[in-house]
Amino acid sequence: MAPEQARRMRAVQHKFRMRGLTLNMEALKCVLAFFDNSSSSLNETEALELLLTEIDKQALKSNVVGKEEIEAVLSLLTGLNESDHKQMLQVIDAFQVPRISYDSIRKVFHSFIGKLPIHGNAPAKAYLYRDRLQLLQQRLLRDKHFAKPAFGGQGSHSGSCEMTPLQSLVGCTGRRWVMGVISQLEDGHFFLEDLSASIPITTGFFTENSVVVAEGEFQANGVFQIHTLGFPPLESREASLQITAGIDFFGGGVLSSEEIIRLEQLEKRAVNDMFVLLSDVWLDSAETMQKLEEVLDGYESVEVVPSLFIFLGNFCSHPCNLAFYNFFELRSQFEQLGSLIASRPRIKDASRFLFIPGPGDPGPANVLPRPALPKFFTDEILKHLPNSIFGSNPCRIRFYSQEIVLFREDLQYRMRRSCICTPSEDETSDPFEHLVVTITHQSHLCPLPLTTQPIIWNYDHALSLYPIPHTIILGDRAEQKVFHYMGVTCFNPGSFANDGTFVAYRPATREAEMSSV
């Protein structure tokens, strides 16, 4: 036994004897392990005094304190129990996210009861747009700038931008505020619902099916001439939760306010937890696998290994479509990936592994949400890494109280290509910042036309961002970026196969460290 370890053991035993107590060897090891692994800001002496104070409150059967008694007291001090460990890291599949709709007549939210079919009927497509619009509409009407004047004053005189329904525009004079969906009902002509719109330049990516707020005048020829166009204002997470208390939008279960406060405290103390995110891990590229070995070797040698590795697709340099015949070879490459990670014993034992498919990975057609990787491939990884989790795309993570959304799609390129107007550069010229503004204000991960990006009609809610999560991770082939917007941390880990970039994310502080090899 090392002299320093022996000294610590004697010091702990001495403190307990001064209270008339004796620790058996198992209990003593448990106390020292708690000191070594504790993320608290207290030093060892202060932590020991706190432990002794709590033990004095317990009804002990004898003056010999065993491991069970010590573990019970440590659970009280740390606030951790078996259910908390389950809540510490919870991965929610897109197909498990509850469907919540807003009833504009009763002005309440209600959830769908039962199992939703993959193949929706014709009304399901209409409900998709209706639910998106009503969700943003109820949020907009709570905004102080768009609230109806309390004493019936006219919006133009009182400073309020009262909304006017589209069907009420006929006969109206002066400027009015309306809300609708941009649609292309005729080739080359865009309409706001059933009224044509002229689109000015503004911040964000305006595409078909975007929900917008517009100020303009109804012309005699039946055209609504727009002067100002923008996205619905973003509501803070706290404001949304006050309205939707008791409703599970995220899919991880409803937490009471007491539970949230306790989990937030535990989350702040989990400073050693770290997520490592790599996107475009091409298993058929020798160069990519060599870079992955460097990353794994680096984290194998650090003092505290990451608690979670997140591998985002694509896992192959070529799309796995009907013309792809090397599925057995890809399966063996997944087996080699599992073997490669398992050869690092510290990472294998202390870390968990989450695999999320990309748009070019094997699976059903290119439709969202995408289910997890087929078992034909995942079984090869599980042979080596039993701690592996296989999530859908997108998928969600709850880390203590923090809600994280992960999405792998080349969204910047597709949004810019689908724009019907050039984004303004008055506020920012960064396309990633434009993208973040767009998806947060739209409360949707992929506000593209269904002709551009098909979505399973009955599972469009799985791409919803309401209430706004704490963190949004957008895996993209574009360069890595991080952007903090309206209390939300958004970042892109970059393409690991192309430029060796990845991100180390610390959820306790919500800091994203841009890294590369």
Side-chain angles (χ1 to χ4, degrees):
M1 181 183 298
E4 177 62 22
Q5 185 75 352
R7 182 197 65 78
R8 295 175 67 202
M9 295 176 70
R10 290 194 298 270
V12 172
Q13 284 284 24
H14 176 70
K15 285 287 187 180
F16 272 82
R17 290 195 184 101
M18 291 180 65
R19 304 287 182 102
L21 302 172
T22 302
L23 287 173
N24 63 27
M25 185 54 66
E26 291 298 320
L28 182 57
K29 291 179 179 178
C30 188
V31 172
L32 294 178
F34 167 68
F35 293 156
D36 292 335
N37 299 326
S38 176
S39 59
S40 171
S41 59
L42 300 176
N43 59 40
E44 192 166 307
T45 302
E46 293 171 332
L48 182 57
E49 289 294 335
L50 187 62
L51 176 62
L52 288 167
T53 302
E54 192 62 37
I55 286 178
D56 288 339
K57 301 176 183 178
Q58 308 300 314
L60 301 174
K61 297 180 181 179
S62 69
N63 63 338
V64 178
V65 182
K67 182 180 179 181
E68 294 77 11
E69 289 85 356
I70 290 294
E71 287 181 340
V73 173
L74 291 179
S75 295
L76 292 173
L77 289 177
T78 60
L80 286 173
N81 50 44
E82 185 176 351
S83 62
D84 291 332
H85 282 292
K86 294 180 181 179
Q87 292 178 330
M88 182 188 74
L89 184 65
Q90 184 181 9
V91 179
I92 299 107
D93 192 273
F95 296 93
Q96 298 173 347
V97 176
R99 179 176 179 176
I100 310 294
S101 301
Y102 182 73
D103 188 335
S104 59
I105 304 300
R106 299 170 56 196
K107 300 189 184 306
V108 294
F109 289 96
H110 60 84
S111 57
F112 178 84
I113 306 299
K115 186 174 179 60
L116 290 163
I118 294 294
H119 302 289
N121 53 18
K125 184 177 181 180
Y127 294 157
L128 178 153
Y129 294 112
R130 182 203 63 183
D131 289 347
R132 286 194 201 178
L133 181 62
Q134 290 183 338
L135 187 69
L136 294 176
Q137 195 172 48
Q138 61 85 29
R139 189 182 78 185
L140 175 78
L141 294 178
R142 289 198 302 273
D143 189 277
K144 62 180 181 179
H145 298 100
F146 294 91
K148 186 175 181 179
F151 298 102
Q154 295 297 319
S156 59
H157 299 292
S158 63
S160 170
C161 305
E162 184 182 350
M163 303 302 297
T164 301
L166 291 176
Q167 66 268 24
S168 302
L169 286 174
V170 178
C172 291
T173 58
R175 293 195 175 191
R176 299 283 175 166
W177 286 89
V178 298
M179 182 178 187
V181 179
I182 298 176
S183 303
Q184 188 174 185
L185 303 181
E186 300 174 6
D187 289 343
H189 296 277
F190 293 95
F191 296 78
L192 188 62
E193 287 293 333
D194 55 351
L195 301 172
S196 63
S198 58
I199 309 297
I201 297 174
T202 186
T203 301
F205 293 136
F206 286 90
T207 64
E208 286 185 63
N209 303 144
S210 293
V211 178
V212 296
V213 177
E215 181 198 22
E217 295 182 62
F218 189 72
Q219 306 295 312
N221 60 0
V223 174
F224 187 70
Q225 181 67 42
I226 292 178
H227 302 292
T228 305
L229 182 72
F231 290 132
L234 182 61
E235 185 178 65
S236 69
R237 175 179 172 82
E238 292 72 22
S240 297
L241 291 177
Q242 288 180 358
I243 300 298
T244 62
I247 302 175
D248 180 21
F249 282 88
F250 196 73
V254 179
L255 299 176
S256 65
S257 56
E258 293 79 7
E259 287 178 309
I260 292 175
I261 292 173
R262 183 168 58 85
L263 290 174
E264 285 176 346
Q265 294 173 345
L266 296 174
E267 181 185 322
K268 291 177 181 178
R269 288 155 57 181
V271 294
N272 289 329
D273 282 283
M274 180 171 66
F275 300 166
V276 176
L277 298 103
L278 305 97
S279 181
D280 280 345
V281 183
W282 292 349
L283 305 182
D284 59 342
S285 169
E287 181 183 356
T288 302
M289 298 309 291
Q290 183 178 357
K291 290 188 289 189
L292 180 59
E293 287 191 51
E294 293 181 32
V295 172
L296 294 174
D297 288 338
Y299 285 113
E300 176 74 7
S301 61
V302 298
E303 183 178 354
V304 180
V305 299
S307 54
L308 179 67
F309 282 87
I310 301 176
F311 296 93
L312 303 165
N314 296 324
F315 291 102
C316 188
S317 58
H318 304 286
C320 297
N321 49 31
L322 293 177
F324 185 84
Y325 296 103
N326 295 324
F327 289 112
F328 283 97
E329 183 179 348
L330 182 59
R331 183 184 184 185
S332 68
Q333 291 165 353
F334 272 104
E335 193 275 334
Q336 293 170 15
L337 173 63
S339 176
L340 178 68
I341 299 174
S343 64
R344 278 73 179 172
R346 294 185 65 228
I347 290 178
K348 176 187 176 182
D349 295 336
S351 303
R352 300 183 73 181
F353 308 91
L354 173 61
F355 297 86
I356 298 174
D361 284 323
N366 188 22
V367 60
L368 295 175
R370 291 179 63 88
L373 290 166
K375 291 188 65 177
F376 181 76
F377 305 102
T378 60
D379 286 346
E380 298 301 311
I381 296 178
L382 288 171
K383 292 178 183 177
H384 302 280
L385 304 172
N387 284 337
S388 297
I389 308 169
F390 302 95
S392 60
N393 183 28
C395 81
R396 305 177 177 199
I397 294 176
R398 174 178 279 169
F399 179 78
Y400 291 110
S401 66
Q402 185 175 161
E403 295 181 355
I404 304 170
V405 173
L406 298 105
F407 185 40
R408 172 63 184 95
E409 182 58 72
D410 298 325
L411 203 54
Q412 286 189 53
Y413 167 75
R414 302 188 71 183
M415 291 290 287
R416 294 176 73 177
R417 186 177 180 181
S418 300
C419 273
I420 58 180
C421 65
T422 305
S424 169
E425 296 187 358
D426 292 343
E427 298 179 24
T428 178
S429 59
D430 191 327
F432 182 71
E433 294 184 10
H434 281 290
L435 175 64
V436 171
V437 169
T438 302
I439 65 172
T440 52
H441 283 261
Q442 291 291 308
S443 291
H444 198 275
L445 278 172
C446 191
L448 287 168
L450 295 185
T451 53
T452 302
Q453 175 55 66
I455 293 176
I456 301 175
W457 298 343
N458 280 330
Y459 286 90
D460 180 70
H461 63 277
L463 282 75
S464 175
L465 295 175
Y466 182 84
I468 195 73
H470 299 90
T471 304
I472 303 174
I473 300 169
L474 301 171
D476 201 306
R477 285 186 300 176
E479 64 175 324
Q480 63 177 188
K481 286 282 186 178
V482 60
F483 180 42
H484 300 277
Y485 180 69
M486 300 288 287
V488 184
T489 301
C490 302
F491 63 87
N492 168 27
S495 178
F496 185 72
N498 289 328
D499 49 26
T501 56
F502 63 97
V503 165
Y505 176 65
R506 296 191 179 274
T509 57
R510 294 171 61 186
E511 295 177 355
E513 178 184 339
M514 303 290 108
S515 307
S516 64
V517 290

